[in-house]
């Protein structure tokens, strides 16, 4: 899954350690096995179903483990998980992970199945354990959920509507982390630029960048429709803010961008990149691209290829379109043949390899 998914795993681990649970890297030894799952593409889900399939085979004399499926797939499939994998005890969506200790108690003591897939806002306290796997770097969540409704994306349906964490709480988490030796912080949100509480995203970044002892501050993910020149100015001005921007373009064709509901054109995207590079000297840039969105023609793909060739991303994460339940694009015909998706994906991969070798 994404970094948000990784951070959620950490949050759960922190909360359970506080409750007295111990961690083992050996699933065979565990009394409780939790899968923190991702629904972004069918491939991610297939892997979980296959892991669950393997767990089904309990050897003679072996004690039954408590098995939990948490995260985006839990929210996406709800009861269906109990049907397809009857030995699963807990299904817990991303918004309910703060109560996992409680659900585990219910499952362990009362041998009862628990399903928690509400849409409630997480309590800020779930971040207060200050548990991070890395001793030098921490992901800090600034907002949860997403309201953009890109037509291909499952996130608004599994993580729910956009909620912003309180700026003071974010600042307190950062200060505490830095006091514990963390030097490097990455803000996390599906669209960090739309952050809004008592202050906006640029304000939040400015205030956190002043925390004494913090060496590197970065943020993912940015959305072209909400990005501002003010952000670039701040990045240029404050040495602690990493000169790195992850700015998914998804496609270089305006027709496809409109079908994706992205809210910008390829021309606008190129302007943002020019502005970024002119203000943030030596700034690095990465992107996400989806190939094979419904109706993507050779000509549409060519526009994406040209954009990548002109922009020369430092790195690009390339994905083949995968229809997701509930999304708008799932109602469109997934008409780009698998071989065509593979070919377009390979072409972009080749291009990126060449760019990486040549440098910018
Ligand atoms: N199919 C393929 N790729 C997707 N992404 C999101 N949803 C889909 C989908 N249905 C990609 C986007 C996003 C990244 C995290 O995953 O490029 O930016
Ligand atoms: Fe992250 Fe999206 Fe996967 Fe959920 S579905 S774990 S939000 S990438």
């Amino acid at each position: 899954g994404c970094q948000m998914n990784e951070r959620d795993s950490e949050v759960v681990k922190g909360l359970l350690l506080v409750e007295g649970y111990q961690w083992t890297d050996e699933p065979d030894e565990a009394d409780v096995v939790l899968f923190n799952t991702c629904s972004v593409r069918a491939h991610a889900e297939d892997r979980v179903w296959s892991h669950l399939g393997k767990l089904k085979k309990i050897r003679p004399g072996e004690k039954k483990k408590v098995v939990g499926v948490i995260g985006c797939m839990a929210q996406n499939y709800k009861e269906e998980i109990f049907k397809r994998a009857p030995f699963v005890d807990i299904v817990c969506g991303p918004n309910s992970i703060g109560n996992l200790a409680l659900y585990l108690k219910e499952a362990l003591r009362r041998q009862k199945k628990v399903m928690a897939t509400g849409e409630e806002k997480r309590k800020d306290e779930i971040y207060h354990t200050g548990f991070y796997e890395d001793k030098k770097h921490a992901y800090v969540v600034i907002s949860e959920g997403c309201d953009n409704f890109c037509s291909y994306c499952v996130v608004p349906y599994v993580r729910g509507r956009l909620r912003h964490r309180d700026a003071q709480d974010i600042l307190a988490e950062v200060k505490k982390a830095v006091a514990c030796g963390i030097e490097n912080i990455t803000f996390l949100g599906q669209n960090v630029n739309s952050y809004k509480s008592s202050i906006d995203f640029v304000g939040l970044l400015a205030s956190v960048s002043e925390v004494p002892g913090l060496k590197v501050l970065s943020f993912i993910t940015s959305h072209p429709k909400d990005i501002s020149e003010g952000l670039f100015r701040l990045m240029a001005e404050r040495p602690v803010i990493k000169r790195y921007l992850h700015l998914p373009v998804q496609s270089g064709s305006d027709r496809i961008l409109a079908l994706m509901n992205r809210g910008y054109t390829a021309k606008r995207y190129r302007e943002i990149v020019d502005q970024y590079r002119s203000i943030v000297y030596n700034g690095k840039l990465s992107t996400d691209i989806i190939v094979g969105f419904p109706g993507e023609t050779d000509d549409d793909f060519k526009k994406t290829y040209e954009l990548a060739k002109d922009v020369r991303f430092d790195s690009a994460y390339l994905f083949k379109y995968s229809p997701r339940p509930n999304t708008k694009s799932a109602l469109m015909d997934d008409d780009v043949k698998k071989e065509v998706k593979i070919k377009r994906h390979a072409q972009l991969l080749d291009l990126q390899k060449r760019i990486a070798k040549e440098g910018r």
Side-chain angles (χ1 to χ4, degrees):
C2 58
Q3 282 88 353
M4 193 67 86
N5 170 284
E6 269 176 49
R7 176 60 185 139
D8 287 352
S9 295
E10 237 175 24
V11 167
V12 165
K13 192 167 166 183
L15 290 170
L16 294 183
L17 288 173
V18 168
E19 291 288 321
Y21 287 88
Q22 283 180 322
W23 186 260
T24 171
D25 289 323
E26 206 35 76
D28 279 350
E29 286 173 5
D31 301 314
V32 175
V33 178
L34 299 175
F35 291 92
N36 191 11
T37 58
C38 171
S39 280
V40 78
R41 284 170 290 276
H43 177 67
E45 294 186 341
D46 293 344
R47 280 173 36 210
V48 173
W49 291 123
S50 128
H51 275 298
L52 285 173
K54 277 181 215 145
L55 216 67
K56 192 161 55 188
K57 300 172 200 95
I58 303 179
R59 285 178 287 265
E62 193 182 348
K63 191 171 144 236
K64 191 201 168 302
K65 298 175 194 305
V66 169
V67 178
V69 174
I70 68 175
C72 292
M73 258 178 97
Q75 199 68 32
N76 205 8
Y77 289 93
K78 300 191 174 82
E79 298 85 359
E80 205 186 319
I81 297 187
F82 291 136
K83 280 191 204 126
R84 284 176 71 171
F87 55 91
V88 170
D89 305 283
I90 298 170
V91 168
C92 170
N95 298 328
S96 309
I97 57 169
N99 307 323
L100 252 178
L102 202 77
Y103 306 148
L104 278 173
K105 264 183 209 143
E106 286 182 34
L108 283 161
R109 293 226 185 101
R110 294 201 267 146
Q111 312 257 295
K112 198 180 117 194
K113 288 202 189 288
V114 183
M115 194 178 71
T117 49
E119 301 254 311
E120 73 270 27
K121 186 181 187 295
R122 293 177 178 184
K123 294 188 191 70
D124 261 336
E125 292 91 83
I126 75 167
Y127 300 106
H128 291 183
T129 64
F131 177 78
Y132 314 103
E133 298 277 0
D134 193 319
K135 294 303 154 223
K136 294 283 167 199
H137 170 261
Y139 285 118
V140 170
V141 172
I142 66 164
S143 61
E144 293 164 357
C146 187
D147 278 353
N148 291 333
F149 291 93
C150 301
S151 64
Y152 50 81
C153 185
V154 79
V155 172
Y157 306 96
V158 288
R159 288 195 178 263
R161 308 311 300 266
L162 180 67
R163 288 99 54 201
H164 305 286
R165 270 185 80 195
D166 180 63
Q168 289 309 318
D169 210 73
I170 295 169
L171 194 63
E173 184 182 343
V174 171
K175 282 183 177 157
K176 190 174 152 196
V178 171
C180 293
I182 300 269
E183 296 172 341
N184 186 335
I185 298 267
T186 306
F187 280 161
L188 281 186
Q190 304 298 341
N191 171 357
V192 289
N193 318 97
S194 67
Y195 177 82
K196 190 93 195 91
S197 64
S198 51
I199 45 179
D200 67 4
F201 180 59
V202 178
L204 179 72
L205 207 60
S207 92
V208 170
S209 70
E210 281 165 357
V211 171
L214 181 63
K215 294 200 176 133
V216 185
L217 178 61
S218 50
F219 51 89
I220 42 176
T221 292
S222 290
H223 195 304
K225 79 177 167 61
D226 296 316
I227 207 143
S228 65
E229 187 180 336
L231 171 65
F232 301 154
R233 300 240 168 260
L234 188 74
M235 291 172 83
E237 193 177 283
R238 305 263 164 117
V240 319
I241 304 177
K242 192 167 169 181
R243 293 178 174 238
Y244 168 65
L245 185 68
H246 181 58
L247 193 67
V249 64
Q250 311 298 1
S251 170
S253 151
D254 289 345
R255 200 179 66 82
I256 297 293
L257 284 170
L259 288 172
M260 287 176 163
N261 192 29
R262 290 290 290 172
Y264 55 87
T265 60
K267 179 164 169 276
R268 172 76 190 126
Y269 186 90
R270 287 169 189 259
E271 281 165 11
I272 296 167
V273 169
D274 289 344
Q275 191 179 48
Y276 169 64
R277 285 181 168 153
S278 70
I279 298 174
V280 185
Y281 175 72
N282 235 342
K284 297 273 179 272
L285 179 69
S286 63
T287 201
D288 291 345
I289 295 173
I290 299 175
V291 297
F293 186 84
E296 186 186 71
T297 61
D298 283 336
D299 187 53
D300 291 316
F301 174 70
K302 204 172 143 224
K303 291 188 169 121
T304 302
Y305 189 91
E306 290 301 320
L307 185 139
K309 206 170 102 193
D310 296 344
V311 170
R312 298 182 76 82
F313 294 103
D314 295 286
S315 63
Y317 302 90
L318 310 170
F319 306 105
K320 296 177 212 104
Y321 172 73
S322 163
R324 304 284 60 218
N326 301 314
T327 60
K328 257 206 169 139
S329 71
L331 303 172
M332 306 173 191
D333 188 13
D334 179 17
D335 57 354
V336 179
K337 291 202 183 65
K338 197 171 163 210
E339 306 82 72
V340 176
K341 286 182 187 167
I342 293 172
K343 197 178 121 211
R344 289 176 185 168
H345 187 266
Q347 273 175 279
L348 281 176
L349 205 62
D350 271 358
L351 172 69
Q352 274 310 126
K353 274 191 197 146
R354 206 161 66 227
I355 293 171
K357 216 192 279 165
E358 294 164 0
R360 230 179 63 72

